[in-house]
Every structure is written in C-alpha cells, then in structure tokens.
Amino acid sequence: MSAAGAARAELIARSVSLRFGPVTLRYRADQPDTQLQLWGPLLRFVVADDESPDCEVLVRRGTPRPWGSMADLAEGELWRAWSSADGREQVCYAGRPGGREWIVSDEIVFAADRRRAEVTRRPIAMDDQLVWLSYPVDEYLVCRVLRAKGALVLHACSIVVDGLAYVFLGHSGAGKSTMAEQAELGGALVLSDDRTIIELTERGAVAWGTPWHGSFSRGEPGGAPIAALFVLHQSAGDRAEPLAHAAATAELFVRQIDPSTDATEVAGSLDIVIELVERVPVGALHFLPTAHAVEVARSWAISQPVRRPLDTVGGRP
C-alpha cells in the first residue's frame, strides 16, 4: 500500500492485533456496540488476530479517572503516571482545547506483568461508538511492552540499504527526516523517520520501523541488522567520525522514548544502551542535506570492524 493510499484507508473492527518489531498487542473493545478505528500508517502493522499477543489491551469509551491530580500540569506537560502498591501503573494524558481548562482525554492502566492493559478514551461525542487507536496512546503501550522484553525505542530515523540498517539519532530539527528523504531518493527503504525500535538478539542488534513519524511521514514494519548508529550534526560538509563509548552511551541514553517509572527500570535501560554501544559502531555524522551524506555514513560503517556477528532478519510485508 502506498503512503498516500495508507493515509486515506481505515479499518473498523471489534478486535485487532498489531505487531511492532518483536512484540504483538491485541486490542479488544469492551462492549458489543464499541468499534475500534485505525487509519493511515498504523494499518501496515496489522497482523492476523489469532497471533499470540505479548499484551492484551481492553479498550473502552468513557471518562478517564486519574489516580492523582492533574490540575497542576505545566504548559507543555501532557501526561502524568502513577504506580500502585500491587505493581500496576496508570498514565493519563490531558490537553487544553482552545486554551481552556485541562481535559483528561486518555487513561492507560497496566497490570503488574505488563501482559494486560486497559485503555479508556474520552469520546469526542458521548454517543460516538468509535474509539480511535492512535498516538500517543499506542506509542506508550508499545514502549512499555518493549521495555518488559528488553528492547527500547530511540528518537531516530532508520533506513535499510543492501539488507543492513543505518540509524540516525538527533533531537527535533537535527535532520532525521531530511536524512530519511535523501536516503529514499537514493533507493533506500525508510523504516521510520522519527522513532526506531532497537532489539538486542543473540545474532546482533536489530532496527525495526514504527508508524510514529516526523515531517517526512514514513514508517514500515520490517526490520534489519544494524550496521551503525550516527548522531547527526548539521555542518558545512560531510564527514563521519567515531564516538567514544562514554559519549556514545550518553547520546543514545538521552534519546530514548522511555516512559520508565522507577530507578530499577532506568538502570535496565542504561544496561541496554551500554550493550548496544558494545555491539554496534556509533559515530558522529556531520552533514549537508544531500544524498552524499548517506554514502559517507555507509562508507564509514563498512570501514568499522564487526564487533559481533550479524544475521539477516526478515521483514514482514
């Protein structure tokens, strides 16, 4: 399905399963008269509903009920999270439509084992039978389930050339979408232009695409072994240089999309990043927004010694 076609298409069902990298989530409406609605790039991640899920998600229409106060949210702060004594956790999202008072729009409650979750979404109209599955709720759910599986999401674009993935990290405006666009013009497959799933396996580190986009709006469900990661720096010329382990660890750690809720989880995320830096070359890419920068990155990656054997990971159609 083309990007334009995906943007117009939609799916309405009472139950649907989606796969993001190594995890599958099954969403199910809680009432017979409730329907789930998906559209756009998210449709590419739909899989057979009989696939065994890593997390069962019960979805309902209703009014979210935060466990704590959201009255003191600062401007630009959109969510709050709480944990219970029995290991459950809740996150609620809020907004101020038209600059008015805060309205809590979404509630997620995870079971302690992260294998079950309940989502409550405030409908636009109370008689509306459709519940949208969309960002940021889907991203939060996936991040939490991935974290339980020892994987993470980086604020990074990723491309695949000749069966290998190249991952480019940076803050908003650093040039991730530009790199993705230039790479696609050169024939590369863009897994994502803004969020990339990183999975560590016995065979090596793997990058997986996601449907959560930057300005270039690309996202595919396939995956590939990672040849190298790069921290982007816009410059007057193109060159790549290695990053020391400590610097690389710091750059990757701060670019996680990581809704961890306690110190143990934060330490676990750091362990994943350290392992990733030990397995895969990490460089700084100074670049102009042209296709030549992609070739510079690839040439640098090819020149680096392979730290651990990599194996091909099949993408999914």
Side-chain angles (χ1 to χ4, degrees):
M1 181 183 296
S2 68
R8 292 192 298 269
E10 67 175 3
L11 183 151
I12 296 176
R14 289 207 62 248
S15 178
V16 63
S17 293
L18 296 104
R19 186 166 180 83
F20 305 90
V23 301
T24 300
L25 281 71
R26 179 185 292 146
Y27 297 85
R28 179 169 54 86
D30 74 322
Q31 297 294 330
D33 63 345
T34 299
Q35 298 282 334
L36 309 177
Q37 183 181 35
L38 294 78
W39 69 95
L42 198 61
L43 294 173
R44 300 189 186 108
F45 295 78
V46 174
V47 295
D49 207 24
D50 58 358
E51 186 166 329
S52 179
D54 297 280
C55 183
E56 294 271 6
V57 184
L58 186 67
V59 184
R60 63 170 58 92
R61 294 171 291 138
T63 302
R65 302 189 182 282
W67 293 350
S69 174
M70 300 187 74
D72 59 343
L73 284 174
E75 199 66 40
E77 187 180 7
L78 301 177
W79 62 286
R80 286 278 172 85
W82 298 271
S83 298
S84 66
D86 60 2
R88 293 178 301 142
E89 66 179 47
Q90 182 198 55
V91 62
C92 289
Y93 290 88
R96 296 179 66 183
R100 299 189 298 272
E101 64 193 45
W102 289 104
I103 294 178
V104 182
S105 57
D106 300 287
E107 171 194 344
I108 304 168
V109 176
F110 264 108
D113 61 4
R114 307 293 184 265
R115 295 191 59 84
R116 291 168 291 114
E118 296 184 4
V119 171
T120 303
R121 305 208 74 176
R122 182 189 296 271
I124 296 175
M126 292 309 295
D127 60 349
D128 189 352
Q129 295 181 341
L130 294 177
V131 179
W132 291 356
L133 301 182
S134 62
Y135 177 90
V137 170
D138 56 345
E139 183 186 66
Y140 184 90
L141 286 164
V142 173
C143 283
R144 296 304 287 136
V145 178
L146 283 168
R147 182 64 193 81
K149 300 273 285 188
L152 51 81
V153 180
L154 290 179
H155 195 188
C157 77
S158 50
I159 65 171
V160 177
V161 181
D162 294 336
L164 293 176
Y166 301 83
V167 180
F168 302 92
L169 302 100
H171 54 73
S172 296
K176 298 185 298 299
S177 292
T178 298
M179 288 296 296
E181 182 177 12
Q182 292 299 322
E184 186 177 81
L185 289 172
L189 171 69
V190 178
L191 293 177
S192 174
D193 74 328
D194 198 62
R195 303 284 203 270
T196 297
I197 294 170
I198 304 295
E199 179 191 15
L200 296 178
T201 74
E202 293 181 356
R203 299 168 295 179
V206 181
W208 295 96
T210 74
W212 311 303
H213 302 311
S215 58
F216 190 48
S217 297
R218 293 293 187 274
E220 295 292 339
I226 302 173
L229 300 102
F230 297 92
V231 178
L232 293 175
H233 300 277
Q234 297 187 36
S235 178
D238 298 327
R239 74 179 194 278
E241 57 191 22
L243 279 178
H245 274 214
T249 300
E251 293 281 6
L252 270 62
F253 185 74
V254 300
R255 288 179 173 85
Q256 295 178 82
I257 309 299
D258 184 19
S260 294
T261 57
D262 60 42
T264 301
E265 287 196 344
V266 173
S269 296
L270 179 58
D271 289 341
I272 296 172
V273 170
I274 291 172
E275 178 75 4
L276 179 61
V277 171
E278 290 177 348
R279 291 194 183 201
V280 180
V282 182
L285 180 65
H286 303 265
F287 74 103
L288 287 167
T290 68
H292 181 254
V294 179
E295 292 307 311
V296 168
R298 290 188 62 211
S299 296
W300 183 86
I302 291 170
S303 72
Q304 302 303 301
V306 176
R307 302 185 183 185
R308 296 192 188 180
L310 294 175
D311 195 3
T312 300
V313 176
R316 284 170 282 104

